[in-house]
Each structure stands twice: as C-alpha cells, then as structure tokens.
Amino acid sequence: MPFAAKGHFLRQPLSALETRFERKPDLKHPRPPLWLMLTAVFISLPLLLPFLYLIFRSYEVGLERSIELLWRPRMAELLLNTLYLMVGVTAVAVTVGTVCAFLLERCRFWGKPFFQTTVALPLCIPAFVSCFTWISLTFRMEGLFGTIAILSLSYAPLAYLPVAAALKRLDRSLQEVSLSLGKSPVQTFWFAVFPQLKPAIGSSILLIALHMLVEFGAVAILNYQTFTTAIFQEYDMSFDNNTAALLSAVLMLICFIVVGGEMLFRGKAKLFHSGKGVIRPYPVKTLTGWQQAAAVLFLTALFAVSIGVPVGTLAYWLVEGNSKNSLDSLSDFAEAFGNSLMMSSLGALLTVDAALPLVWCAVRYRSRFTLWLDRLPFLLHAVPGLVIALSLIYFTINYAYPLYQTFAVIIAAYFILYLPVAQTALRSPIELLPENMEKVGQSLGRGNIHIFRTLVVPAMLPGITAAFALVFLNLMKELTATLLLTPNDIKTLSTAVWSYTSDAQYAAAAPYAAMLILFSGIPVFLLKKYAFQ
C-alpha cells in the first residue's frame, strides 16, 4: 500500500484519503532509543548559548530603554519592511522553484539536461555579489521590488531542490486510484499529490523566510532598510551589543510565528511507502512545439537574469578596471582558497552529522519534545550571524579563552547557523523511508545502532549528499560570522570579496568572486548528478 500507514487504501473513498492526510498525530509512538535521544539532546545544548546571550544582553537594556526602542515610529517601519521582504521573496522564490521542479521532473523538452544543472547554480553566487552586479548596471534595482526580484532569483534553488527530490520519489498509485474513483485532475492533485509535497514545500518556505529575516549584505547594497540592517548599524555605529540583542529578540518572535505556520502548513500526515514492490514513477510527458518553446524561453530567461548578469559583470571586472593591479600575490589567493575549502568542509561534515539524529527523532519518534528539538535550530536561523558570533566571543573570552579566535569557534558558528539547511534536505528522504525498515533489522537480531548505520544511513545516502552539498555551498559564501571570528591574518574567499568591494576595488575582488562561484559549482553539479537522479 503506497504512502499509507494503516487501512486498505483501495477500498477507501477519496474522502478517507483526505482525512488520512489531515489526521492528528499519534503521540503514543515508541520512545526513541536511549542513545538516539541522548545524542539529540547533546547536539541541542550548544544551540541554547545564543538564546542565553540574547536574554542576558536584552535584560541589560532595561525596561524603560526597551519600551523607548520598540515603540519608535522607525521600529514599525523596519518591521513592515522586514515582513514585506520575507513574504515577497518567499512567495516568488517558492513559486519559481516549484514550477522549475515540475518542468524538469515531469516534462521532456529540448535542452533539459542543461537547465537541470543551471537552475541550481544561483546557490553558488553570494547574494551580496548578485546584488552588486545588478546595482552596478544602469537599471534601478533599489527598494522593495528590486530587492524581492534579485533575492528571489538567488533563493529559488532552495525551493527547487527539495521539491524536485520529492517529485522523484512520488508513487503514481495514489493518483491512479483517485482518478479511478471519478475525481477530477484538480481534486486528485490537491488531495492525493500535493499532500505528499507538503514536507518539501514547507521546508522551503521555512528556510527561505528565515533567510530573509537575517539577510544583511544584499539589502544593505540595495538600500533597503530592515531589522537586520538596524541591528548592524546599532553595533557598528555605537558598538551597542545590548540594543542589537534586543532587536534580535524581536526577530526571534517573528521566527516563532513562521515556524508555527510552517508546522500547520506541513500537516500531521505520515508519508512513506509501506507496500510490496517498488515505487512506480510518474511518466515523463513530451511537450508539444509551443509548450517546448514556452518552457525553454522561461528557463532561458531565468538563466540569463540569475546567472548571466552576475557572471557577465564579474567577467567585465576581470578585464576592465583600474583596481585590478591591487590583487594580492598568488600565495595569498591560494591561502584564501585553502581556508575556505577547509572550514566549509569541516563545518558541513559536522552539521550534517548533527542534523541526522535530530530529524530522525522528529520523524520516526514524533512527540512534542522531539518536534521542538527539531525546530530549535530554525529559531536560531532568525538570529543574525553577528549575534551568533558575539555570543561565541562572549563565551570563549569568559569561559573558554584557549578557544578564542580558533578554527573550532568558527566551525561551531557554522554548525549553529546552518543546521536548519541540513535538516531541510534530510527531512523528505527520511519521511519517505519505509517505517518497518527498523523492524526488519530487529527481527534479524540486530541492535538499534547497527540498524541505523547499516540500513538507515545507506538508504538515505542521496539525502545526506544533498544536505552536505547545500551546507557546503552556504559555508563557502558565509560572511558575517567569518569576519568577526577569524583572526585578522586569516582570509577566505568571501571575506576577500567583501574587503575589496567595500573599498570599491571591484576588479581586485573579481578573481576571488570567480573562484568562489566556480568552486561552489562543483557540489551543485555532483548534487544534480548523484543525489537527485
């Protein structure tokens, strides 16, 4: 019985199918193994540090000063700007990413292999680089609409990748049974297909929305004021950590609402294949002449504006400009590349390893406790990287000084910042695994750890590969925490780009930006070739 937990699906009307997808969760699930629960709790403990830092610093602001700050007219303007940006970019990016996923997974047309690779390439380009390449042109892209347009192009792959992965694993039996019961194609899609896509779409909405809450470099370049720019200005101009922490606490309240909304959207259904045999994939439809033309035109335009403009502008910087002579020596360039590669690889490895038990607990042993352990990292995703870095600096200076300004602190910051990215990529593959997989292993006399290592991990290897690639891509272009936590003599590709562009030395920054884009494209290629094929 495909994607059903109980009952006889073939004997049920569609109304029973609708009820099954919306039923309340069974909170009487077996408790997770002790080793798994202890591992999940241990992983979650470091995530409490930024919360404690925010509470401590916000308390130091005082009630009177807090009220004065939060009730200023400027605060309402910043709040509305932040919400407009979050809703606008999330809606456009998820729509574009979902449309691309359906085109590239359900249709056959000319140039499809090329577009399957290029549609994910905007992940390789840092958002602040894309924004500057656009702003350097004659087009006026400043303000709300320009910011939404550019950032939607940058973050659409975060919706495309999980939705495409979910489409590859859907079983068409539900659709066929629904149509055999006399339901229309629209009803069939809404009640039989769409619920299976909710985990992927919901994760995309959550991840993109939280990205928008903490985006700084891109919105600063485009002169669009949000809560995050106000936090950075408060810290940069007055070096006031307390006020910055108070403003960050407001972002966290918004994050609570976003996380709760995503949980309602996702629903409480359990989606896995529990029948005999293999999943029957959907047939790929060959588009007609005008349909092919429309699909190719849409994807070509998307490629031109999301990849062509940034790369073309960087190429111009490499050839033209008076600042190209200030490029450092080849050894400095190689050092920056090596630092980026090492820190990104270690951070991605730690983050994926930590995300796996959290998501496994939340999916397989669903309870209020495991769900909130799974959602705790997403709450931190609404805290600016500056605040995460300051909390780690405060902790290391006061309680672990030997770790101050070491790579260990940078890796810890990467783990805190990008754990939700790994969780998003891992959730859909875990939810689609057969629930009785562990029971089969137990019937053979194997222990829980052995089953997890030899059955579960190999079965979801594509999801693990996707999670590693996505985290690695984000770490290669991470800027804020890296700037604050690395010693002054340590340079990475992203910090070099930021340093040169801040001084308007765009030609000198171009080689670093080009290497950043080029090397980040390798994981995207591997991701498309092995993880989602």
Side-chain angles (χ1 to χ4, degrees), residues 68 237 264:
E68 178 184 351
M237 297 176 64
L264 291 176

Side-chain angles (χ1 to χ4, degrees), residues 128-159:
F128 66 88
V129 173
S130 293
C131 288
F132 189 84
T133 57
W134 276 98
I135 206 70
S136 65
L137 301 176
T138 57
F139 303 108
R140 295 187 58 86
M141 300 296 292
E142 298 180 355
L144 175 61
F145 294 105
T147 305
I148 290 177
I150 297 175
L151 292 182
S152 297
L153 296 172
S154 297
Y155 288 103
L158 291 181

Side-chain angles (χ1 to χ4, degrees), residues 138-193:
T138 57
F139 303 108
R140 295 187 58 86
M141 300 296 292
E142 298 180 355
L144 175 61
F145 294 105
T147 305
I148 290 177
I150 297 175
L151 292 182
S152 297
L153 296 172
S154 297
Y155 288 103
L158 291 181
Y160 162 73
L161 291 174
V163 174
L167 287 173
K168 286 180 179 293
R169 292 166 174 81
L170 291 189
D171 193 320
R172 62 175 175 174
S173 299
L174 285 179
Q175 181 182 17
E176 292 174 345
V177 171
S178 176
L179 293 173
S180 70
L181 294 173
K183 302 302 178 180
S184 67
V186 174
Q187 290 176 310
T188 297
F189 175 82
W190 186 252
F191 294 112
V193 178

